[in-house]
Amino acid sequence: MIMENNGFEISGEEIQKAFAEVMSSAGKAKEWFEESVKAYKELMAYYRCAIMEIETKFNVLNEELSLAQDHNPIETIKTRLKSPESIAEKIERRNLIPIIEEIEKNITDIAGVRVICSFPADIYMLADALLAQDDVRLVEKKDYIRAPKPNGYRSMHLIVETPIFLHDRKKLMKVEVQLRTISMDWWASLEHKIKYKKHLEPQLASELEKELLECAQISAGLDARMEDISHRAQSAK
Ligand code: 0O2
């Protein structure tokens, strides 16, 4: 006997056993942590591959459609992999279990491809062309162009599933595709910056929201006008 605690006697043998258990669970925690990090890195690599697949599909469409039409429908393509911080924030907000399987199943915008188009009509043409491909499955579509968000945000959002081909198997991956015109993109970029200025007084915040909505409406008008100019120029040829 080496210790007395609330009347219970704890033997040296018991202490040794408890210590061995703590050591073994610490070993398991380390093992679990290392495995989780490896699985996370692997998953992110798969998402990077899926981004490459989708980006290539758009580059091919741009090349082909620029021959068929008199302009490149795509101005630029931007890609991004969601940061670990943003993934963690989403896990918390949605009350998800922080394991790889849950992340993969429930967070559909880890891989993001943003396609900036010349005209609104190009967005619909490219979305249709992508979704017509037999290795692309539409999971979800949100058309914030026909139905803009209350703050004025416009874009076409597609969640698609596409295969990546690994050395020994094929794996289906989800990618979020955002299609926008140049004016939809600059509005969204500036609105995003302004929204994250958190110290605005409520009165000023509400005034700015109103102005941003007006700017979004002006930008939608400009898109329509530029498209009309382009149609008139084409039909005059
Ligand atoms: P990031 O880094 O830009 O991707 P959730 O995905 O849960 O946040 P929801 O409703 O499922 O919300 O997604 P939704 O409506 O499809 O929009 C998600 C993404 O669209 C955002 O990604 C933005 O990129 C963009 N977006 C949506 N609404 C707005 C908006 O009002 N203003 C701006 N500037 N962008 C918007 P993240 O996750 O915010 O980040």
Side-chain angles (χ1 to χ4, degrees):
M1 198 256 298
I2 61 159
M3 196 185 287
E4 224 170 88
N5 185 0
N6 295 335
F8 291 103
E9 288 178 357
I10 304 170
S11 69
E13 227 174 322
E14 276 170 325
I15 289 179
Q16 261 180 358
K17 203 173 144 215
F19 182 71
E21 266 170 31
V22 168
M23 288 314 282
S24 111
S25 72
K28 276 187 194 131
K30 185 172 175 274
E31 202 178 291
W32 173 85
F33 182 76
E34 281 171 0
E35 273 172 22
S36 301
V37 169
K38 186 170 169 263
Y40 181 82
K41 282 186 178 167
E42 219 168 62
L43 184 65
M44 292 304 123
Y46 297 153
Y47 279 120
R48 277 195 294 275
C49 297
I51 287 175
M52 287 190 261
E53 292 282 353
I54 294 292
E55 190 178 13
T56 301
K57 285 178 182 295
F58 279 112
N59 280 326
V60 170
L61 286 171
N62 196 37
E63 195 69 32
E64 188 241 336
L65 288 166
S66 66
L67 296 173
Q69 305 178 342
D70 69 337
H71 72 277
N72 288 326
I74 298 175
E75 292 286 333
T76 41
I77 301 177
K78 301 174 194 171
T79 64
R80 72 107 182 86
L81 193 66
K82 211 171 184 66
S83 66
E85 292 78 13
S86 297
I87 294 175
E89 184 272 322
K90 218 162 191 172
I91 289 172
E92 212 164 275
R93 181 155 50 88
R94 295 210 187 149
N95 233 344
L96 301 173
I97 305 164
I99 55 169
I100 293 298
E101 294 76 13
E102 279 275 297
I103 294 173
E104 197 176 356
K105 190 168 150 217
N106 295 296
I107 305 185
T108 53
D109 64 345
I110 294 177
V113 175
R114 188 171 284 163
V115 183
I116 316 297
C117 301
S118 310
F119 301 106
D122 294 327
I123 293 175
Y124 290 94
M125 180 189 58
L126 287 165
D128 288 348
L130 177 75
L131 297 175
Q133 299 187 7
D134 58 16
D135 58 352
V136 175
R137 183 178 78 84
L138 178 65
V139 176
E140 191 182 6
K141 180 177 182 174
K142 289 184 193 166
D143 186 347
Y144 294 127
I145 300 172
R146 292 210 168 110
K149 283 198 166 181
N151 64 354
Y153 175 79
R154 295 180 304 137
S155 272
M156 164 85 80
H157 290 192
L158 306 173
I159 307 291
V160 296
E161 194 173 57
T162 198
I164 56 166
F165 296 90
L166 304 168
H167 76 284
D168 55 352
R169 70 200 157 102
K170 166 172 112 169
K171 183 167 168 59
L172 293 173
M173 301 299 299
K174 291 194 186 83
V175 178
E176 184 191 61
V177 179
Q178 295 183 350
L179 295 120
R180 309 172 165 175
T181 60
I182 304 162
S183 80
M184 292 173 197
D185 190 48
W186 65 246
W187 183 93
S189 304
L190 297 183
E191 190 265 358
H192 184 77
K193 278 183 199 161
I194 292 165
K195 201 162 67 180
Y196 285 95
K197 294 217 179 293
K198 293 203 171 103
H199 339 281
L200 297 178
E201 291 167 25
Q203 170 72 18
L204 178 61
S206 131
E207 276 171 30
L208 294 184
E209 274 170 29
K210 215 171 130 223
E211 281 207 48
L212 279 166
L213 178 59
E214 270 175 41
C215 290
Q217 287 157 350
I218 293 169
S219 128
L222 285 175
D223 267 336
R225 209 164 151 188
M226 294 302 275
E227 194 157 62
D228 181 56
I229 292 170
S230 156
H231 285 158
R232 282 161 57 199
Q234 264 176 319
S235 54
K237 274 185 190 164

